Amino acid sequence: MEGAIWLAEAAASEALLFAAVLFLIGGIDDLAVDVFWIVRHLTRRATVYRRHARKALSDFPPADLHFAMFVPAWDEGAVIAQMLSTTLSRLTCGRLVVFVGCYPNDVATCDAVADVADKDARIVLALNPRQGPTTKADNLNAMWRALQRHEAATGMRFDAVVLHDAEDVVSSGELRVFAHLLERAEVVQLPVLPLVDDRSRWISGHYVDEFAEAHSKMMVVREALGAALPLAGTGFAIDRALLGRLAAARGGAPFDAESLTEDYELGLALSRHGARAMLAHVPVTPGGMPVAVRAHFPASLDEAVRQKARWMTGIALAGWDRVGWSGWRRRPLIENWMRLRDRRAPIAVLALLAAYGGALLWAVAELLGWIGGETVALSVPWWLLAANGALMAWRLTLRAGIVARFYGWAEGVRSIPRALIANVIAMCAARDAMARYVRMLRGDELVWDKTSHVYPGTLPAE
């Protein structure tokens, strides 16, 4: 009995010490970002916004650019018609052409797009010559070629390209925001604010927490520090000439068809080509919600794990091979810090597994000690546990405040226990990501492993 108690106690202490050290490093890393964000926010309030009132959408003139919109669609027959109809009704700008990328073996999606195109000439069905699914980037390249054919046939040239997903609820003011801010930057990203799914408050809800924090804090910090701004895959506009230069540098295709996370890599690639990227937080009304992309995210554990596994594979694992580290930017230390944060997910999962495993072993040691009448002592410094506890409390409180700002205090409070759900999803996704990464290294063909989508029956208020 004594040997079993000692073994369980030692294993628990080592696992918890390992996890605590990793948590402390990650917590300090997060705290540095938080402090910078808070200081920047307070500084701008005390200086910039005292001299200049913050602009709202009503301060922007009507959009006067010629926009092309790309909507990649594979197996989207259930949502694409409603998405396109809503988009066309909200974006009344006559200088908009929507290219929808479809596959010849996806008849339901092609038919749905064709029905909408029959009613509105702004829809162009861009048929991929390959059978689907390929990759999302390959689908986007098919739309790029359709854009070039459209320009050649009409003799006009688009000013900017906007990307959206087939499940997006677009904002009626987004083209005004893009048109105005593309005068100052070559890439403009809108915030993505997931819709709250009443049927999946905990699984789908954890996307609410993550995107609210990422697009109101983390992306703001990256932009302010001068690091490359990874794109969100939807809700962004790119200067047409810039995309053309990228296409020329890549043999005619601006999107890397071998990438699982083309949006993330595209943001870094555009930055490498000298583009300035901007995150646009423009309130619809003064002090109100920002012009943003709204959409439902996966509501089941299986689909959330699949989506997170794809992101983890493309960014945290394959990113080391495909994107590497910074050697070309003016601020390589800042850039590498941001990329290290992007790729720390597997390390975080390792720490979580060690923590939960250590806690389980500790419970076993306590049980054996109670049976054997022995006292069990944890060999982890108290100050380390206290520091991690304080950092965790800070992080959860800050996240709750950010979520509450966009979704109300009820969702803000829910974000605290949802952190545990996010941990479980991350641990499950890490296993699938490693398996997918091994298949990539073996040379297996990449396919578009998308999740199923739903479109809201009642549109959210803008």
Side-chain angles (χ1 to χ4, degrees):
M1 179 66 75
E2 290 184 5
I5 295 173
W6 176 87
L7 182 61
E9 179 184 354
S13 295
E14 291 298 322
L16 291 174
L17 180 61
F18 174 75
V21 171
L22 290 181
F23 285 149
L24 182 63
I25 295 172
I28 293 173
D29 179 31
D30 289 334
L31 184 63
V33 172
D34 297 341
V35 169
F36 181 89
W37 177 69
I38 292 171
V39 170
R40 179 185 181 276
H41 177 72
L42 295 177
T43 301
R44 288 175 67 84
R45 286 187 62 180
T47 56
V48 176
Y49 295 135
R50 280 193 175 183
R51 297 193 303 267
H52 309 284
R54 186 169 185 176
K55 287 188 175 181
L57 181 61
S58 58
D59 298 315
F60 288 11
D64 59 355
L65 298 183
H66 204 148
F67 287 99
M69 180 182 291
F70 288 177
V71 182
W74 160 251
D75 192 22
E76 300 288 7
V79 298
I80 190 64
Q82 191 174 0
M83 180 272 179
L84 292 176
S85 297
T86 302
T87 299
L88 294 173
S89 66
R90 288 190 167 190
L91 304 181
T92 56
C93 170
R95 304 180 71 185
L96 169 70
V97 177
V98 181
F99 296 87
V100 187
C102 299
Y103 294 92
N105 59 328
D106 185 5
V107 178
T109 302
C110 290
D111 288 348
V113 174
D115 287 343
V116 181
D118 287 341
K119 304 170 187 174
D120 196 312
R122 291 179 293 170
I123 297 292
V124 174
L125 194 158
L127 197 63
N128 196 309
R130 303 173 63 188
Q131 299 291 304
T134 55
T135 61
K136 185 177 179 180
D138 178 70
N139 189 293
L140 289 167
N141 285 331
M143 284 179 274
W144 172 253
R145 293 188 292 270
L147 176 148
Q148 291 177 309
R149 292 193 296 269
H150 188 278
E151 289 181 334
T154 61
M156 54 73 63
R157 187 177 176 87
F158 291 101
D159 297 302
V161 176
V162 178
L163 269 71
H164 270 293
D165 285 332
E167 71 275 19
D168 288 353
V169 179
V170 304
S171 169
S172 59
E174 71 170 42
L175 296 186
R176 293 169 64 185
V177 174
F178 289 146
H180 182 75
L181 295 182
L182 282 171
E183 298 176 358
R184 299 163 49 190
E186 292 172 290
V187 184
V188 178
Q189 171 74 62
L190 294 178
V192 176
L193 295 178
L195 293 170
V196 174
D197 189 342
D198 292 334
R199 301 165 302 171
S200 181
R201 289 279 186 182
W202 302 104
I203 294 176
S204 179
H206 93 280
Y207 289 99
V208 166
D209 311 331
E210 293 182 354
F211 274 89
E213 186 172 23
H215 283 206
S216 65
K217 186 191 71 177
M218 193 61 239
M219 297 276 277
V220 171
V221 170
R222 292 184 81 128
E223 181 184 353
L225 289 173
L229 201 66
L231 299 174
T234 185
F236 62 88
I238 305 174
D239 179 80
R240 160 65 175 86
L242 171 64
L243 204 57
R245 292 197 299 272
L246 182 62
R250 291 180 164 181
F255 305 95
D256 191 339
E258 299 301 316
S259 173
L260 285 175
T261 48
E262 75 295 325
D263 47 356
Y264 173 83
E265 294 186 15
L266 179 63
L268 272 57
L270 292 174
S271 180
R272 185 172 185 174
H273 281 261
R276 185 193 173 191
M278 175 186 297
L279 179 66
H281 268 276
V282 179
V284 177
T285 58
M289 291 284 286
V291 175
V293 180
R294 312 301 302 275
H296 280 299
F297 277 72
S300 69
L301 179 62
D302 176 66
E303 295 218 324
V305 168
R306 283 175 50 209
Q307 185 176 69
K308 288 295 185 72
R310 179 171 61 84
W311 293 351
M312 193 179 297
T313 305
I315 297 173
L317 297 175
W320 290 67
D321 308 324
R322 296 179 49 80
V323 180
W325 300 91
S326 171
W328 42 265
R329 292 190 59 82
R330 291 181 295 107
R331 299 178 179 179
L333 290 178
I334 294 295
E335 183 66 30
N336 286 335
W337 176 29
M338 293 296 109
R339 295 193 187 193
L340 182 60
R341 286 182 58 84
D342 295 338
R343 299 167 189 174
R344 72 179 194 173
I347 300 174
V349 168
L350 185 62
L352 287 171
L353 289 172
Y356 290 133
L360 180 60
L361 288 169
W362 181 250
V364 171
E366 287 283 2
L367 177 61
L368 292 176
W370 177 75
I371 295 173
E374 296 188 25
T375 302
V376 178
L378 185 64
S379 301
V380 179
W382 68 267
W383 61 266
L384 186 57
L385 297 176
N388 277 316
L391 287 170
M392 180 180 294
W394 162 256
R395 293 286 300 115
L396 292 175
T397 302
L398 181 62
R399 171 175 282 192
I402 291 173
V403 172
R405 175 189 172 197
F406 295 107
Y407 294 93
W409 278 108
E411 289 301 324
V413 172
R414 288 190 188 99
S415 73
I416 296 175
R418 276 199 298 245
L420 179 61
I421 305 297
N423 289 344
V424 173
I425 293 173
M427 288 187 290
C428 295
R431 177 200 59 192
D432 293 353
M434 287 301 300
R436 184 176 302 196
Y437 182 54
V438 170
R439 292 196 297 270
M440 286 181 62
L441 295 178
R442 289 199 314 236
D444 288 6
E445 183 180 5
L446 297 178
V447 295
W448 190 352
D449 184 21
K450 61 173 285 296
T451 53
S452 60
H453 297 138
V454 297
Y455 204 81
T458 303
L459 297 179
E462 294 195 74

